[in-house]
């Protein structure tokens, strides 16, 4: 299961006024977690990742192709969030890969899913509220993350009928009334996280799949509560800073990476080194 | 326009007069296999989807399906004609194996792809005796398993650490590999082992008879369970001072050279076979959309998803076609083209399957019933490419090319001609694996893009022609941008690897687009199975361009609608969703 999001990553030097903390030792827990569990979720405040001047020409190099998109954004709040989230994502990915953030090309699949172009060994996901940024990283195949205000009003607005399966509605009825809205928010973030992991956004109708606990794990269930996907998917939900609900969905097709006793592990959990990019001399069919 | 062959090789495998009969023979073989399997959707068919789903849940291959393939002598497809088999062309090999992957990827991997990974190295570098022995073994139905050298950061499937220490006239084999398909039932093993000898720091390849279960120094490790292709028998192997005689070495050169001679044949065909698996996901989604009113094919979102998925399959097939034919026609360039296939196809096909899961909704998780084969294919597809580590070496191979050939111009012989793009054209030279390792002198495919773009721009005045011209022009602009960025790399001291890998992705997408344009340009007529007109090429290019530039425009309805019509017609006629429109077993 993905671990709860880490406490905020190292507070950066303001991104475009100085070098980004690519090799900062404080990223080592994130590296370690990626090597041991395969996934890490980090979060940060928009204000911490915002450059002093959104018009700074150096931002073009830092954002790459996204800089052109920035020009089409007009609302100041949206612009700030857009820039801060991309800088956090690229800094985190760069720290994990031992690459300068501006060397990474953040691109988008036809359905809008972000990915690091050409960097198969690290999948990424991004979410934000007004003030909180969340970035998911995995060396397994796919990750999706989502964040919402834990007290965002959802209950009683008809939302539950548009987003819950019959099984979830029944389960919700059994939740104490004062916790019911929070539970609905949690289900929403889980659904968002999974949809983002499979690149579907809101295209996969939320009433077609649900979540519930099975054997101490969060499992994806069919609308009637029967098992949906298998153990190759891991899901987690947490409360962050007391007022945000964060969920993550991680897909691990099970190639392994941690051979059994006696084998040399290529992902030694004790190692805090970066995930290597492929060497020119590497061979595999 | 001539086809650029980098060295004088043997002439075409079949003369012009033999052309129709060669194509007819291929069609007959595919038809026989399809007939043998019968209707995938018939619940009463002992070789239908329900049986494969049940076998998968039981983590086994379907015995009746294995019997069918034995009767068909499937392994003859991976044995060269001159050694008594039926392997003459790689595009045909992939085309035949798709019939198996349409039913069950595990079956295809266990009975076709797996043994082929091992055999390809024997054909590429084995002695005459090794080639004959391997051919005889495969033709008699014996299985093979293999362990290629590990990448820097592998996974359990790629991770292996065999070493071979000189011992008298032979070697002692040590080490283990965690996950080999077919390991428990292979009669012959191809193992790459690091050789520990003075002056030698590389790998050697060994072709050995699989040891008996109780052989001293050998241990078959317990079976590993996998989340996809669950019917495959995946085991680890462990050797401890296991003696191997010197004559078991495969070829005389280094293991790296031998692997490099085998890779183009492997990387281009394996993912192409897996198109059969993706075919089944699309077929299941169409069946669902047809059957349900709530997600009927009238819903715009469903229509768009189906159109995009069919476009992706055609795009993948155009790329796979070019790479498999390039192994024969452009051996020096096939290391790169096959690596592009190995990088892009597993990614495209898996993403397409996830897109289609949104059409099926809750039924995409069904464990039984008419749509259960979908969730199985969705679990199988990510296994085919072996994940990020599986594509790692391929990305590295393309990166190497971009650093050495930043101009991406055609070789002196000129750009690629019609033979590279025509899927029914039989006149291909025999494979020359020795040339796979020679440096390329140019880029026959991407280097010819400008000319094809000009042709597309001159095509005509209809809306579709204009759309094609627009996308082709945009692809040409992407190539120019890539050339500029590659040139900039050269100027900095050591190019940043992350940046190079971003360029690898863009290069691969441009190659895929150029392959589509080539297939469109050299189309042979209404009988070639393709949807008529440029609609499919417009749709496929739109998909490529959108990956290169999120601001690329969506294709016009005049391209999307005919493609959907073609898709539904093929569904009704039970024909495959690739370039061949193969009639499927019913």
């Amino acid at each position: 299961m993905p671990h709860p999001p880490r406490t905020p990553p190292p507070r950066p030097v303001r991104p475009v006024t100085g070098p980004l903390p690519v090799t900062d030792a404080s990223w080592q827990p994130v590296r370690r977690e990626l090597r041991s569990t395969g996934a890490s979720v980090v979060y940060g405040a928009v204000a911490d990742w915002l450059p002093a001047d959104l018009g700074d020409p150096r931002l073009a190099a830092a954002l790459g192709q996204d800089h052109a998109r920035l020009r089409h954004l007009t609302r100041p709040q949206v612009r700030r969030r857009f820039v801060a989230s991309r800088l956090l994502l690229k800094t985190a990915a760069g720290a994990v890969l031992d690459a300068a953030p501006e060397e990474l090309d953040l691109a988008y699949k036809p359905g809008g899913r972000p990915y690091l172009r050409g960097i198969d060994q690290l999948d990424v996901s991004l979410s934000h509220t007004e003030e909180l940024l969340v970035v998911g990283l995995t060396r397994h195949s796919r990750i999706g993350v989502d964040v919402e205000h834990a007290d965002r009003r959802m209950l009683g607005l008809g939302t539950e009928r548009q987003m819950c399966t019959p099984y979830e509605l029944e389960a919700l009825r059994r939740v104490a009334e004062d916790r019911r809205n929070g539970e609905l928010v949690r289900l929403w973030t889980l659904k968002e996280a999974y949809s983002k992991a499979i690149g579907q956004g809101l295209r996969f109708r939320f009433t077609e799949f649900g979540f519930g606990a099975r054997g101490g794990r969060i499992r994806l269930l069919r609308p009637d509560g029967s098992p949906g996907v298998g153990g190759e998917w891991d899901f987690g939900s947490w409360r962050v800073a007391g007022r945000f609900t964060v969920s993550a969905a991680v897909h691990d097709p099970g190639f392994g990476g941690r051979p059994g006793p006696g084998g040399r592990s290529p992902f030694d959990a004790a190692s805090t080194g970066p995930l290597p990019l492929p060497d020119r001399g590497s061979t595999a069919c | 326009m001539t086809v650029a062959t980098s060295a004088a090789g043997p002439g075409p495998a079949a003369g012009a007069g033999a052309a129709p009969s060669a194509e007819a023979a291929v069609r007959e073989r595919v038809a026989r296999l399809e007939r043998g399997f019968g209707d995938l959707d018939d619940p009463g068919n002992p070789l239908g989807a329900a049986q494969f789903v049940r076998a998968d849940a039981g983590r086994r291959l379907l015995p009746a399906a294995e019997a069918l393939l034995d009767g068909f002598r499937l392994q003859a497809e991976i044995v060269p004609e001159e050694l008594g088999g039926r392997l003459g062309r790689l595009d045909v090999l992939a085309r035949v194996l798709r019939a198996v992957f349409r039913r069950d990827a595990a079956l295809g991997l266990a009975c076709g792809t797996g043994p082929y990974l091992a055999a390809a190295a024997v054909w590429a570098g084995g002695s005459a005796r090794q080639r004959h022995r391997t051919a005889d073994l495969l033709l008699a139905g014996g299985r093979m398993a293999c362990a290629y050298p590990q990448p820097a950061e592998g996974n359990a499937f790629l991770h292996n650490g065999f070493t071979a220490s000189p011992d008298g006239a032979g070697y002692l084999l040590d080490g283990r590999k965690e996950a080999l398909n077919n390991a428990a039932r292979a009669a012959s093993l191809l193992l790459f082992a690091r050789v520990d000898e003075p002056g030698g720091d590389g790998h050697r390849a060994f072709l050995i008879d699989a040891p008996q279960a109780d052989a001293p120094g050998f241990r078959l490790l317990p079976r590993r369970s996998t989340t996809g292709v669950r019917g495959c028998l995946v085991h680890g192997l462990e050797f401890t001072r296991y003696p191997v005689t010197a004559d078991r070495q495969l070829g005389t050169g280094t293991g790296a050279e031998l692997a490099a001679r085998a890779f183009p044949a492997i990387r281009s065909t394996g993912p192409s076979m897996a198109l059969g698996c993706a075919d089944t996901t699309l077929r299941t989604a169409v069946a669902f959309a047809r059957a349900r009113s709530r997600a009927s094919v009238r819903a715009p979102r469903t229509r768009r998803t189906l159109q995009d998925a069919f476009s992706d399959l055609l795009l993948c097939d155009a790329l796979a076609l070019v790479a498999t034919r390039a192994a024969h026609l452009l051996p020096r360039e096939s290391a790169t083209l096959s690596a592009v296939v190995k990088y892009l196809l597993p990614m495209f096909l898996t993403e397409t399957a996830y897109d289609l899961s949104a059409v099926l909704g809750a039924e995409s998780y069904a464990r039984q019933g008419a749509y259960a084969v979908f969730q199985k294919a969705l679990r199988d597809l990510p296994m085919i490419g072996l994940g990020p580590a599986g594509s790692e070496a391929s990305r590295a191979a393309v990166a190497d090319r971009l650093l050495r050939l930043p101009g991406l111009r055609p070789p002196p012989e000129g750009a690629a001609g019609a033979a590279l793009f025509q899927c029914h054209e039989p006149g291909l030279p025999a494979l020359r694996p020795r040339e796979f390792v020679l440096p390329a002198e140019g880029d026959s495919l991407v280097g010819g893009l400008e000319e094809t773009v000009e042709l597309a721009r001159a095509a005509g005045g209809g809306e579709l022609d204009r759309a094609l011209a627009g996308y082709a022009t945009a692809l040409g602009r992407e190539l120019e941008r890539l050339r500029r960025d590659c040139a900039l790399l050269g100027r900095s001291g050591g190019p940043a690897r992350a940046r190079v890998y971003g360029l690898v992705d863009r290069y691969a997408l441009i190659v895929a687009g150029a392959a589509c344009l080539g297939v469109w340009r050299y189309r042979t007529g209404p009988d070639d199975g393709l949807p008529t007109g440029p609609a499919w090429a417009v749709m496929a290019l739109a998909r490529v361009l959108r990956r290169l530039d999120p601001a690329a425009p969506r294709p016009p309805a005049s391209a999307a609608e005919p493609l959907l019509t073609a898709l539904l017609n093929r569904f009704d006629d039970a024909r495959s969703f690739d370039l061949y429109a193969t009639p499927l077993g019913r």
Side-chain angles (χ1 to χ4, degrees), chain A residues 52-116:
Chain A
D53 175 12
L54 286 188
D56 191 316
R58 285 171 295 181
L59 205 53
L63 291 181
Q65 229 176 2
D66 268 341
H67 196 247
R69 287 180 68 190
L70 178 64
R71 283 201 297 273
H72 297 293
L73 302 176
T74 48
R75 288 175 53 203
Q77 191 186 36
V78 174
R79 285 168 62 83
R80 281 198 296 272
R81 225 164 37 204
F82 182 86
V83 171
S85 60
R86 269 70 187 172
L87 291 178
L88 170 60
L89 189 155
K90 290 177 94 169
T91 304
V96 165
L97 295 163
D98 205 14
E102 60 271 19
E103 301 290 345
L104 298 171
D105 183 359
L106 183 63
Y108 301 88
K109 301 284 183 186
R113 184 172 199 274
Y115 72 105
L116 297 168

